[in-house]
């Protein structure tokens, strides 16, 4: 029997984008939603997103910024998120697992199966961001028995079919279409459009179909909200889905 699933990730406090995605999912009569984490952190509306999530049942896991909220991490913008999130919302974060499985078909993680702060699909090098080759991805996912492996964290929507017949899916970010990374290397993650992104997976026996969905919403308002909250970088990311030239890695 054919069943459809909606896969969302990386809302990052963007209530306008989340509402648009949930409206689209409802219009398609999809009942099962898998949410890959990073719910609240950012320059937008963390508590509004928390209320929306409480009103819409779904399978949720924790992302790196969810963990960092609980750890009171020293991170730019964290103080505002901490002050706006209710104790109920923080308690909800404490209930979230780091990984999950669903219907014997999906394995869900935020970053990788063993780390919420690493990328499963992408390798960051001095020259830029590259997708790991097939053999490396097979090695990285070897312990997973489920056929469809879900990940987020990079905010870039990708579908990677492996030669062992498994599929790795990143649905992209609902709420933040680009960001600047500053780990070992200086790098940009860009989805190249301002749309709110999610994915639909249709499973019919052994047949798996995947649709990447780009939802229009009022990203001009989201950008203005970020600017009003003092974050000019986020205002640009939300409006364009890419870096301003002034921030591009050399």
């Amino acid at each position: 029997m054919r069943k459809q699933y909606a896969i969302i990730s990386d809302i990052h406090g963007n209530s306008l984008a989340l509402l648009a995605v949930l409206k689209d999912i409802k219009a398609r009569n999809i009942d099962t939603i898998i949410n890959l984490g990073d719910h609240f952190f950012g320059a937008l509306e963390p508590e509004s997103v928390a209320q929306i999530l409480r009103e819409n049942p779904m399978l949720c896991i924790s992302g790196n910024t969810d963990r960092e909220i609980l750890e009171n991490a020293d991170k730019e913008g964290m103080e505002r998120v901490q002050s706006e999130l209710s104790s109920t919302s923080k308690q909800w974060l404490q209930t979230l697992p780091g990984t999950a499985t669903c219907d014997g078909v999906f394995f869900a993680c935020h970053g990788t199966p063993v780390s919420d702060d690493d990328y499963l699909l992408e390798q960051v090098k001095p020259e830029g961001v590259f997708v790991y080759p097939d053999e490396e991805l097979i090695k990285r996912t070897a312990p997973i028995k489920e056929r469809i492996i879900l990940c987020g964290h990079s905010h870039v929507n990708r579908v990677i079919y492996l030669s062992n017949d498994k599929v790795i899916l990143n649905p992209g970010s609902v709420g933040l279409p680009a960001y600047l990374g500053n780990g070992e290397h200086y790098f940009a993650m860009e989805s190249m459009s301002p749309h709110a992104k999610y994915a639909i997976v249709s499973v019919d026996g052994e047949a798996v179909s995947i649709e990447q969905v780009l939802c229009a919403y009022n990203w001009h308002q989201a950008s203005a909200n970020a600017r009003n909250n003092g974050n000019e970088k986020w205002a640009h990311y939300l409006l364009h889905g890419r870096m301003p030239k002034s921030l591009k890695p050399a």
Side-chain angles (χ1 to χ4, degrees), residues 54-124:
R54 285 195 286 270
E55 295 167 0
N56 291 272
M58 61 186 74
L59 171 61
C60 299
I61 64 172
S62 176
N64 61 297
T65 62
D66 302 318
R67 171 180 51 79
E68 290 164 357
I69 287 171
L70 296 176
E71 294 172 349
N72 294 297
D74 182 15
K75 193 169 187 176
E76 182 181 357
M78 184 65 77
E79 184 176 350
R80 190 185 70 83
V81 176
Q82 289 281 11
S83 67
E84 293 190 15
L85 274 181
S86 66
S87 59
T88 299
S89 299
K90 293 177 183 176
Q91 290 169 3
W92 179 78
L93 283 180
Q94 292 175 344
T95 69
L96 301 182
T99 63
T101 60
C102 181
D103 291 351
V105 176
F106 297 94
F107 176 90
C109 60
H110 179 73
T112 75
V114 296
S115 171
D116 61 19
D117 205 22
D118 291 329
Y119 300 114
L120 178 57
L121 292 174
E122 296 92 354
Q123 182 178 18
V124 179

Side-chain angles (χ1 to χ4, degrees), residues 119 121-132 154 156 158 179 181 185-190 249:
Y119 300 114
L121 292 174
E122 296 92 354
Q123 182 178 18
V124 179
K125 298 182 178 181
E127 302 83 8
V129 179
F130 303 88
V131 174
Y132 284 107
S154 74
V156 179
R158 303 184 194 272
Y179 67 90
H185 306 296
Y186 186 58
F187 63 97
M189 287 295 190
E190 301 172 294

Side-chain angles (χ1 to χ4, degrees), residues 128-187:
V129 179
F130 303 88
V131 174
Y132 284 107
D134 178 74
E135 60 271 17
E136 179 63 23
L137 290 173
I138 289 175
K139 179 180 178 181
R140 290 165 70 84
T141 56
I144 299 171
K145 65 179 184 297
E146 290 78 16
R147 185 181 177 194
I148 305 173
I149 301 159
L150 307 174
C151 65
H153 192 43
S154 74
H155 297 205
V156 179
N157 47 326
R158 303 184 194 272
V159 178
I160 308 295
Y161 182 83
L162 303 181
S163 61
N164 64 357
D165 202 36
K166 289 185 178 180
V167 177
I168 305 178
L169 166 64
N170 186 325
S173 173
V174 169
L176 183 62
Y179 67 90
L180 187 66
N182 59 354
E184 181 182 358
H185 306 296
Y186 186 58
F187 63 97

